[in-house]
Amino acid sequence: EPEVTQTPSHQVTQMGQEVILRCVPISNHLYFYWYRQILGQKVEFLVSFYNNEISEKSEIFDDQFSVERPDGSNFTLKIRSTKLEDSAMYFCASSPGHTGELFFGEGSRLTVL
Amino acid sequence: AQTVTQSQPEMSVQEAETVTLSCTYDTSESDYYLFWYKQPPSRQMILVIRQEAYKQQNATENRFSVNFQKAAKSFSLKISDSQLGDAAMYFCAYRSLFQGGSEKLVFGKGTKLTVNP
């Protein structure tokens, strides 16, 4: 069964460093998402991506964040200069349409020291 | 903005028994989806069940069923004949069906379900 895959599963970085989290969505899906979950808190929407551009973003998704789909298969989230409060589990998801369920990856745990 | 509330941070159930997880939501939209996602310790969220708001009939998937009360904005999940593998974090989520509306999923805080043998 097709699934969303994410790498790395866990990354530890120093504050101020750049981090790139990678995702391979399900191949025939058209909508892509990043969510994050700070330990013990709810899953929060970061950004949605459709037709090679951001379609929606939350207030969390500031100038330190960017997304791209460089080669038609990978979908990446870049955090330019990490802060301590960026420590969280980051989930990638994809969807065939703009309605219906999202399919999630297993997440990438980011620890910022 | 839509909000989803899960008032039970933790629940427990005996194996083979039935448990109900609560979820309420707030929206001014009339067309939307509601979902229950399960997040086992392996971390990946998987869909358990979904309900389209325009459907009056409550969705069922094997041992999982929902009680959807649109007027009350309530969407509870019932798990029958609970199994050890049902132990997980359960998230209630909302997604707009409105053509010009947001396409994101809005999650509740989750309910941690423990299944006791």
Side-chain angles (χ1 to χ4, degrees), chain A residues 60-87:
Chain A
I60 303 168
F61 194 87
D62 61 22
D63 292 344
Q64 294 299 315
F65 292 88
S66 63
V67 289
E68 63 175 5
R69 197 157 181 249
D71 56 12
S73 60
N74 290 284
F75 178 52
T76 62
L77 174 69
K78 182 192 290 187
I79 309 175
R80 190 181 317 145
S81 177
T82 50
K83 308 184 189 75
L84 295 176
E85 55 265 35
D86 293 328
S87 294

Side-chain angles (χ1 to χ4, degrees), chain A:
Chain A
E1 188 171 324
E3 59 181 23
V4 177
T5 56
Q6 290 185 241
T7 54
S9 57
H10 188 192
Q11 181 156 357
V12 181
T13 190
Q14 295 291 323
M15 190 169 57
Q17 295 296 303
E18 176 182 283
V19 161
I20 297 176
L21 305 179
R22 292 182 169 80
C23 169
V24 179
I26 294 172
S27 62
N28 61 345
H29 286 188
L30 301 176
Y31 293 79
F32 313 110
Y33 306 85
W34 284 101
Y35 285 79
R36 80 173 185 189
Q37 185 180 28
I38 295 171
L39 188 63
Q41 298 187 25
K42 66 166 63 179
V43 179
E44 301 173 293
F45 169 76
L46 292 177
V47 66
S48 59
F49 192 85
Y50 169 71
N51 201 25
N52 284 321
E53 60 182 22
I54 290 173
S55 49
E56 188 175 355
K57 61 182 181 179
S58 71
E59 61 276 6
I60 303 168
F61 194 87
D62 61 22
D63 292 344
Q64 294 299 315
F65 292 88
S66 63
V67 289
E68 63 175 5
R69 197 157 181 249
D71 56 12
S73 60
N74 290 284
F75 178 52
T76 62
L77 174 69
K78 182 192 290 187
I79 309 175
R80 190 181 317 145
S81 177
T82 50
K83 308 184 189 75
L84 295 176
E85 55 265 35
D86 293 328
S87 294
M89 183 74 86
Y90 288 80
F91 291 101
C92 175
S94 68
S95 173
H98 76 279
T99 62
E101 68 260 37
L102 272 58
F103 295 79
F104 286 86
E106 289 196 357
S108 294
R109 179 171 297 283
L110 176 65
T111 302
V112 182
L113 303 177

Side-chain angles (χ1 to χ4, degrees), chain A residues 4 9 31 33 35 37 42-43 45 48 55-56 89 91 95 97-102 104-107, chain B residues 4 33 35 37 39 42-45 47 50 91 95-99 101-109:
Chain A
V4 177
S9 57
Y31 293 79
Y33 306 85
Y35 285 79
Q37 185 180 28
K42 66 166 63 179
V43 179
F45 169 76
S48 59
S55 49
E56 188 175 355
M89 183 74 86
F91 291 101
S95 173
H98 76 279
T99 62
E101 68 260 37
L102 272 58
F104 286 86
E106 289 196 357
Chain B
V4 177
Y33 282 104
F35 305 93
Y37 277 87
Q39 187 182 32
S42 65
R43 302 176 301 171
Q44 185 175 29
M45 274 185 285
L47 180 70
R50 78 180 206 183
F91 292 97
R95 193 178 191 195
S96 174
L97 193 53
F98 174 54
Q99 186 65 30
S102 172
E103 61 197 52
K104 68 187 180 197
L105 272 182
V106 178
F107 286 92
K109 282 191 172 183

Side-chain angles (χ1 to χ4, degrees), chain B residues 73-114:
Chain B
K73 296 180 182 172
S74 170
F75 183 61
S76 60
L77 174 69
K78 186 170 83 171
I79 307 173
S80 304
D81 185 25
S82 297
Q83 300 175 0
L84 294 177
D86 295 333
M89 186 72 94
Y90 286 82
F91 292 97
C92 179
Y94 171 103
R95 193 178 191 195
S96 174
L97 193 53
F98 174 54
Q99 186 65 30
S102 172
E103 61 197 52
K104 68 187 180 197
L105 272 182
V106 178
F107 286 92
K109 282 191 172 183
T111 297
K112 183 180 179 182
L113 179 67
T114 301

